Amino acid sequence: MELYNVKGKQQTANILLGCLVLFLLSVLCPAEKLCTVSPDPVSIKENSTVDVLVARITCSDDVQLTVTENPAEAFYLRGTDLIAKRGLDFESLPRVDDALWVRVRCNRTGSRSVNVSVEVFIENVNDNPPNFAQSHYVLQVNELTPVNTSVGRIEATDIDSEPLYYRLESATNRYLRLENANTPNILVQNIIDYDSVQKISLVLHVQDTYNVSESGEPSFTAVVTITVNVKDIDNRPPWFQPCVRTNLGIAKLCVSSGYRAKVNLTEKEDGALSLEPGPLYAKDGDRNRSEMINYRIIRGNEGSIFQIDEETGNISMAKAADIAGPITLTVLASQVTNRDQFAVTQVTIEVLRKSRNPPRFEKERYEGYIYSNSVPETMILRDRTSNRPFRVRARDEDFATGVNPDMRYEVQYSSYVNVTNEGFVLLKRIVKTESFALQIRAMDLSTGEFGTAALSVLVIPAVAVPLPSGAGYRAGDMALLGLIMAAILVLCFIVIGFLISRLKKGGANLDKITECLAPCLKMTRPQGRPKDTLQYTNDGYQGTEGDALRCRPRRPEPVDKRGRGATVPGDRGRAIPLERRRSDRHCGFCGLYANHNAKPGPACSPAMGGGRGEGGDKDGVRSILAKGGRKEGGKSVWFKENEDASGIEVEIIPDTLGQEEETEEEVLDMEEVEEGDRSMSSQTEIDGGHGDQESRGESDSAAKEEKEKEG
């Protein structure tokens, strides 16, 4: 039974489904044949200047077409053609997924109507400019805002939905910048100081194309002005006034030199003290802020002598000061709302003994004189007849001597003269009037008291050119003279150094040179240093009348062994230190150091010297100087006859024996002289008496010269 019911229901459903299919086929098949249209979507540009064919509907002539759905009445039918009207605006048309659907109904008598749809896309064209919400924007930024901090974002809109490009313009802007070309976010580029800039004006440009010249597409722009106000923040402490401003990097400082005041010892002044350079006052270091400031003494007020008004900063005395000298107060100024912003300064108060007498001049009026041709820096004269300078003096009776070390003079009401601290009046510029008057003031710098006196200066004609004060002795002249003297001194040192170097290179003995130049330069030899002993051999001397040398022939001049043909050094009168001579050079006959060989001979014996006087000069030695003729400091000269007739030896005996060493060259020359003496002795014995007459003549000449010297 149940199975039968199920089968019956299934058959009923199949019958109903078949009927529905037959009904639909009967309806649709004739509609497909009534009208048709292309199923592809159609695309057209907005803002077209003419009507545009959108689609063509295919149908028989007896079919009527009607637009049933027409968005914004933008379409119409022209026969079987669907036409879009001109000037369609993409932004004003209602769109469904950016498409417009146009529906057309097809009707025919005796047939059911059929609807066909056409999908139309309107292409958007860049035909609208970007737009800002406001024409002017105002932004705020704090000074000292960190770099890259955003100040504000100003963005434009474009109904064409194109990407926009921004540009920030400012001829003087170096503090702000844009984040990038597509993001109109304004950032801080450099630290902004309120004291330097308080307002920044900007112009922001926007356009809907990046590069108009390359794309060739139409471009639209928009402009907006921006004002950025800089806010002054509380970043600086109070500044005591007056002060000197200075920069330390981006920080600004204002340095105060402090304050000064004077009070009398054991006296209490009423009211606020008068300070220099002005009253104690501090203001907020921030230019556009006026924070309330309090004052307080934090150091130096031992004994609570002074007190300060916390609001005004005025300093007054609570009691008299009992100790003379300076008192230094340290004053603190701080903001009431922010105690971290503070500054300190010093107030130096001089406690002075009270002055009972101000400075006073000796006269109330003075007269001075100046020549008409006087030059600047000439002193004002005291009278007409003398060149004594004019001088003013002021006394201070508070001092026993009347001289106040803190007193200074100054000139008032005249530009012709200056006054020195000593009271002398000096001309500043050339005077072109017959007279001028001025006032001199003497001020006590410690108390501020002063006294005045009048001075009248009469310009008198110059009888003779007066010597200006300090003429030829000015600082510039003295400096030039010193420079010249220094140059001369340096030149002298150079010359002396050059001469010393030449002397050292030549091997000369400085002591001998000094001794030779002493008579010319009137120099005396230093005491305590021994003099050199000199020996002079006069080989050309042949004796005097009555001498035994007349019987001996003249010794010929020896030839230098080295073959140079020079005479024996003894002919030039060699000087040899006595203590350096060899022991074999000592003459045993006369007891002196001699440059000869002491060989006693029969021809020249002591008996032959009868012509020398009764004294009988022993050892054949006699003086050629008179006893009274020798001057102090001179040298004695002695002649000694040589028995071998080699010559007469002259011995110059100095006051003190020398200590100088003999050089190797002198030793060599002495040895040559000894050999020459031996050869000369041999040659003389061979020659015999051939030269007796010639010897006598030369001996006579030598004797005459000797007598002249003794005379």
Side-chain angles (χ1 to χ4, degrees):
M1 189 67 180
E2 293 177 359
L3 182 59
Y4 176 77
N5 291 336
V6 172
K7 290 181 179 180
K9 291 180 180 180
Q10 187 175 4
Q11 290 177 354
T12 304
N14 291 335
I15 293 171
L16 291 174
L17 181 59
C19 293
L20 180 58
V21 170
L22 291 174
F23 174 76
L24 292 174
L25 289 174
S26 63
V27 173
L28 294 176
C29 288
E32 288 292 336
K33 297 177 181 179
L34 191 61
C35 61
T36 59
V37 67
S38 174
D40 296 331
V42 180
S43 177
I44 60 175
K45 290 184 178 181
E46 67 169 332
N47 300 327
S48 60
T49 57
V50 296
D51 295 344
V52 179
L53 175 64
V54 177
R56 179 165 291 171
I57 301 173
T58 303
C59 62
S60 59
D61 296 337
D62 56 351
V63 176
Q64 296 180 353
L65 302 177
T66 305
V67 178
T68 59
E69 188 174 342
N70 190 359
E73 301 298 327
F75 302 92
Y76 68 94
L77 286 173
R78 183 188 297 167
T80 59
D81 295 334
L82 181 63
I83 305 299
K85 295 179 181 180
R86 71 185 64 181
L88 293 180
D89 186 12
F90 175 82
E91 289 77 20
S92 62
L93 294 175
R95 299 182 302 275
V96 179
D97 297 333
D98 292 334
L100 298 177
W101 289 91
V102 181
R103 302 187 187 280
V104 179
R105 179 182 295 173
C106 301
N107 292 325
R108 189 172 60 181
T109 305
S111 300
R112 299 178 63 87
S113 61
V114 177
N115 293 326
V116 293
S117 299
V118 178
E119 185 178 8
V120 180
F121 286 95
I122 304 299
E123 295 182 7
N124 188 18
V125 177
N126 184 21
D127 58 347
N128 295 287
N131 185 34
F132 288 101
Q134 302 176 18
S135 60
H136 181 74
Y137 290 86
V138 178
L139 303 177
Q140 305 291 334
V141 61
N142 292 334
E143 67 169 335
L144 306 181
T145 299
V147 176
N148 295 328
T149 301
S150 176
V151 176
R153 183 185 181 97
I154 299 176
E155 195 169 7
T157 59
D158 191 347
I159 58 178
D160 290 329
S161 301
E162 296 288 343
L164 301 179
Y165 304 93
Y166 298 89
R167 178 173 57 89
L168 195 61
E169 175 188 349
S170 176
T172 60
N173 175 42
R174 60 185 182 92
Y175 300 102
L176 303 174
R177 66 177 180 87
L178 285 176
E179 183 175 351
N180 55 58
N182 298 112
T183 306
N185 194 17
I186 301 176
L187 306 179
V188 176
Q189 183 176 4
N190 293 306
I191 296 295
I192 305 173
D193 183 13
Y194 181 84
D195 290 345
S196 301
V197 58
Q198 295 83 40
K199 182 184 294 185
I200 303 173
S201 297
L202 305 173
V203 177
L204 183 62
H205 295 262
V206 62
Q207 64 183 24
D208 52 12
T209 55
Y210 179 71
N211 194 332
V212 180
S213 60
E214 292 183 359
S215 62
E217 297 179 359
S219 178
F220 298 92
T221 61
V223 178
V224 67
T225 58
I226 305 171
T227 299
V228 181
N229 294 322
V230 181
K231 296 177 62 178
D232 190 11
I233 64 174
D234 187 14
N235 65 305
R236 294 195 180 100
W239 288 348
F240 284 99
Q241 303 299 314
C243 60
V244 179
R245 294 195 177 190
T246 183
N247 295 335
L248 187 61
I250 63 173
K252 293 184 181 295
L253 306 176
C254 200
V255 181
S256 172
S257 59
Y259 301 86
R260 298 174 300 279
K262 297 177 182 178
V263 297
N264 292 326
L265 182 66
T266 68
E267 289 187 4
K268 176 181 176 296
E269 293 191 14
D270 296 331
L273 298 179
S274 177
L275 303 181
E276 293 181 358
L280 183 68
Y281 168 68
K283 69 176 184 179
D284 196 332
D286 298 309
R287 181 175 178 179
N288 200 35
R289 302 178 70 91
S290 298
E291 299 291 342
M292 186 177 294
I293 298 173
N294 281 352
Y295 304 90
R296 186 158 54 98
I297 299 176
I298 60 175
R299 185 179 299 173
N301 193 20
E302 286 78 7
S304 301
I305 299 174
F306 302 96
Q307 58 189 6
I308 189 170
D309 190 320
E310 292 187 357
E311 295 182 357
T312 63
N314 291 331
I315 298 177
S316 59
M317 297 186 69
K319 59 182 179 180
D322 55 357
I323 299 177
I327 298 176
T328 302
L329 305 178
T330 302
V331 179
L332 171 71
S334 60
Q335 294 182 7
V336 176
T337 57
N338 184 6
R339 295 295 181 181
D340 292 334
Q341 298 290 9
F342 66 89
V344 294
T345 190
Q346 288 186 342
V347 180
T348 302
I349 302 175
E350 288 284 346
V351 180
L352 306 174
R353 292 181 174 85
K354 186 176 181 179
S355 175
R356 300 181 181 275
N357 300 284
R360 188 182 302 276
F361 284 95
E362 297 174 351
K363 299 179 181 180
E364 292 184 357
R365 299 188 62 85
Y366 292 90
E367 290 184 356
Y369 301 90
I370 191 70
Y371 289 104
S372 58
N373 62 342
S374 297
V375 297
E377 297 190 9
T378 302
M379 286 188 176
I380 302 298
L381 301 180
R382 184 175 177 178
D383 50 47
R384 293 173 177 265
T385 59
S386 67
N387 286 332
R388 290 185 298 175
F390 171 79
R391 184 178 184 182
V392 293
R393 292 185 178 90
R395 293 179 57 84
D396 192 339
E397 298 300 334
D398 292 334
F399 295 84
T401 61
V403 179
N404 185 349
D406 294 329
M407 188 182 301
R408 295 293 182 270
Y409 298 98
E410 59 184 23
V411 174
Q412 294 180 320
Y413 316 126
S414 177
S415 60
Y416 282 116
V417 295
N418 278 333
V419 61
T420 66
N421 293 333
E422 293 77 19
F424 295 102
V425 182
L426 304 178
L427 195 65
K428 279 175 58 178
R429 58 190 180 94
I430 298 176
V431 180
K432 298 183 179 180
T433 61
E434 296 181 355
S435 64
F436 60 92
L438 56 105
Q439 181 173 283
I440 300 178
R441 184 170 73 167
M443 174 174 284
D444 187 349
L445 299 180
S446 61
T447 63
E449 296 178 327
F450 61 90
T452 60
L455 172 63
S456 298
V457 180
L458 180 64
V459 180
I460 59 178
V463 178
V465 179
L467 181 64
S469 175
Y473 302 97
R474 298 179 184 177
D477 299 334
M478 298 304 294
L480 180 60
L481 179 61
L483 182 62
I484 295 174
M485 296 299 293
I488 295 175
L489 184 60
V490 171
L491 183 61
C492 291
F493 280 130
I494 293 174
V495 172
I496 293 172
F498 175 74
L499 293 177
I500 292 175
S501 64
R502 291 294 301 269
L503 291 174
K504 288 184 177 181
K505 289 181 180 179
N509 191 308
L510 296 180
D511 292 335
K512 292 182 179 180
I513 294 174
T514 304
E515 185 176 359
C516 293
L517 295 178
C520 297
L521 301 178
K522 299 184 181 300
M523 296 173 58
T524 58
R525 189 177 183 89
Q527 298 297 329
R529 180 171 181 177
K531 297 182 180 179
D532 294 339
T533 299
L534 304 178
Q535 174 178 291
Y536 181 81
T537 302
N538 189 1
D539 293 333
Y541 181 76
Q542 299 298 326
T544 61
E545 293 182 3
D547 290 344
L549 292 176
R550 292 178 180 177
C551 63
R552 303 296 297 171
R554 182 180 179 183
R555 182 179 61 180
E557 296 180 356
V559 181
D560 191 354
K561 293 174 61 178
R562 287 170 287 186
R564 293 193 301 264
T567 60
V568 178
D571 293 341
R572 298 189 304 270
R574 290 191 54 82
I576 303 174
L578 183 62
E579 69 276 11
R580 296 296 297 171
R581 298 186 186 128
R582 295 169 50 182
S583 60
D584 56 358
R585 301 296 294 158
H586 185 272
C587 181
F589 176 76
C590 60
L592 299 176
Y593 290 93
N595 193 14
H596 69 280
N597 296 326
K599 297 179 181 179
C604 296
S605 63
M608 296 177 64
R612 299 181 196 175
E614 273 182 275
D617 298 332
K618 294 181 180 182
D619 299 329
V621 180
R622 67 185 179 88
S623 173
I624 67 172
L625 299 177
K627 292 182 179 180
R630 181 179 178 183
K631 297 181 180 180
E632 184 178 357
K635 302 185 187 314
S636 299
V637 181
W638 297 88
F639 284 80
K640 178 173 68 66
E641 296 177 357
N642 194 346
E643 294 183 0
D644 59 358
S646 60
I648 296 177
E649 301 296 328
V650 179
E651 180 71 15
I652 301 176
I653 304 175
D655 296 339
T656 308
L657 294 180
Q659 301 296 329
E660 187 173 347
E661 295 182 1
E662 180 180 344
T663 61
E664 295 180 359
E665 183 180 356
E666 291 173 335
V667 174
L668 179 59
D669 291 341
M670 291 177 63
E671 293 175 357
E672 292 177 357
V673 171
E674 292 175 2
E675 295 176 358
D677 288 341
R678 299 189 189 100
S679 61
M680 289 297 295
S681 299
S682 302
Q683 183 66 30
T684 303
E685 293 176 359
I686 296 173
D687 292 341
H690 295 289
D692 288 343
Q693 294 178 356
E694 184 180 358
S695 225
R696 291 190 192 98
E698 292 178 359
S699 299
D700 294 340
S701 299
K704 290 179 181 180
E705 293 176 0
E706 191 174 321
K707 290 179 180 180
E708 290 175 359
K709 291 180 181 179
E710 291 177 356

